[in-house]
Amino acid sequence: MIASLLERGGDLVERADVCVIGSGGGGAVAAAELAAAGLDVVVLEQGHHWTAKDFSQREDEMLPRLFEEGGMRATKDGTVTILQGRNVGGSTVHNLCYALRTPDPILRMWRRQHGLESLTRDALNPSFARVEKHLRVKPIRDDEVNALNRIIRHGARQMGYSGFVTKHNREGCVQSGYCILGCSYDAKQSMLVTYVPRASQAGARIYANARADRIEAEGGRARRVLGSVVDLDGAVRGSIEVSARAIVLAAGAVASPDLLQRSGLGGSRVGRHLHVHPSVMAAGFFDDEIHAYRGIPQSYYIDEFIDLDADPQRGYVLMPIAAFPVLTATQMPGFGREHFHWMKQYARMAGLLVLLHDRSEGRVRPGHSLSRPEIEYRLNADDAQQLAQGLVHCAHVLFAGGARRVVIPFSPEPLVLERGDDPREILRRGVRQGEIPIASTHPQSTCRMAADATAGVVNEWGEVFDTAGLFVADMSVFPTSLGAPPQITTAALADRTAHHILERRAELFA
Ligand SMILES: Cc1cc2nc3c(=O)[nH]c(=O)nc-3n(C[C@H](O)[C@H](O)[C@H](O)COP(=O)(O)OP(=O)(O)OC[C@H]3O[C@@H](n4cnc5c(N)ncnc54)[C@H](O)[C@@H]3O)c2cc1C
Ligand code: SF4
């Protein structure tokens, strides 16, 4: 059952074996695995239950519907935009479907440097296999590589940079290109069309417009979730109380630490160690129209500048990016006529992102309201230098791919490079927060896994150190920055946590 508490009206009082908070990349997986094994599961999702018929392919309608703070969530100082989903299915509803497993050197580092001995490839393989089966992960076919990604692949090959066409989780994709606004064709195998229906068919009661406000524990054990029925603007329309013998917190790496801190749970490390995979963009302008926004947005992936075997804590990848007009406009330099000049060339524009495997850290703290946690993040000097170096490589790839001009959206003065100019000018300008748009689609690590409570918030199975029966199953449990697209790792760790709960069934649900 998937029900909107807004449409149903009134308050909600429920009792369940497990209450799952959040229905995105981690929560939906945990809910489905637990319900399929016969447990009584209630899911609380603050967002609305939008489906394919609601995905209008219009930015002005979909950004407010699908994204936290209407797509305007940002760090406290406004220098880093953070995109996160707020709907049944979470951020997977508008993600871009790169589907890669956790890199082996990252698992090795988590074992050796963070004491997480059981996180081996062999131990995770059953979880990866289940997740990839349900998300229908497969290689992207060559005929599915769109014009933007072909240009980037050509540029990378010209430069001799290593890259590959990735796997994805799409089935019957008509290559419309609207992934980031939700898939109107139900082709994207997001949680909305995979694990959420699976959980519902297995008997889970999934409530939309149901925000968890507080988790209560008694005698060191998780007991209940208190919350609010919220409308589309977040206004409170009723109250929620769910008593449960286990609670799985999967509200994402911003809301999960916020909720724990508001509940006085999780210890002193909650909200710390925020990594965001910060990204900056270069825009190439071509003589011919590319219509970069048509077709599968991201399929090629340049991994030349990340060697996790050599250094598991450093490096960056380059990813093609095509945004819709409003998002593009936020990245383009200038005002008035100057801005118009750049936007007129929209159809001839190709973007390339640097996505950094960051060591810089930030912090999430409760803000003045539940929907607006306070987020801080500062780039350290080495990370800023790597982003600048990455932009130089972006410029090389775009020129080698045929661009006549490359623009780096520095503010207030964009850097315009003509073919033949030396892109190392980017290094002289440098990447400084507030002087170039920085975006994050992968906030993580704010309730990190660790060997004990002095270093993190949850143990290697996702259980909160100071609260028995309270588990975290979302991107916030990553011990460090992942350095790769995170949805498969998030889902696999959530699957593993769910199966751990099932193994402890007799003790937890006695
Ligand atoms: C634009 C974009 C593109 C991306 N592209 C890729 C990609 O190509 N490949 C990849 O691997 N990853 C990608 N990702 C990341 C991927 O989507 C995430 O790894 C994954 O969704 C994380 O799952 P999660 O459970 O941590 O959080 P989410 O999926 O964000 O789910 C959290 C859920 O909790 C709900 N919630 C929050 N607070 C509360 C509360 N108090 N009460 C109840 N519910 C609450 C939210 O509404 C949300 O539905 C992308 C992300 C974005 C934003
Ligand atoms: S490109 Fe494919 S997955 Fe993306 S919105 Fe279009 S049909 Fe859906």
Side-chain angles (χ1 to χ4, degrees), residues 232-256:
L232 302 188
D233 300 319
V236 174
R237 301 285 181 222
S239 68
I240 295 172
E241 179 176 337
V242 182
S243 303
R245 285 185 280 181
I247 294 168
V248 176
L249 175 57
V254 173
S256 285

Side-chain angles (χ1 to χ4, degrees), residues 416-435:
V416 181
L417 297 166
E418 302 293 337
R419 184 179 274 284
D421 286 350
D422 186 350
R424 282 174 302 181
E425 171 64 11
I426 296 166
L427 298 178
R428 201 187 58 76
R429 294 264 196 122
V431 164
R432 290 187 195 85
Q433 275 177 264
E435 294 182 12

Side-chain angles (χ1 to χ4, degrees), residues 10-11 16 18 29 59 62 74 77 82 84 87 92 121 132 135 201 205 240 334 441 500 510:
D11 299 332
V18 185
V29 175
E59 275 177 289
M62 297 321 299
D77 62 5
I82 296 180
Q84 284 186 294
N87 44 267
T92 68
R121 162 77 41 192
E132 288 173 346
L135 297 183
Q201 280 150 23
R205 300 185 295 293
I240 295 172
T441 51
H500 172 75

Side-chain angles (χ1 to χ4, degrees), residues 170 173-179 182-185 187-188 295-297:
R170 293 182 179 87
C173 172
V174 300
Q175 299 176 38
S176 68
Y178 284 98
C179 300
C183 178
S184 326
Y185 311 93
K188 182 197 290 188
I296 288 178

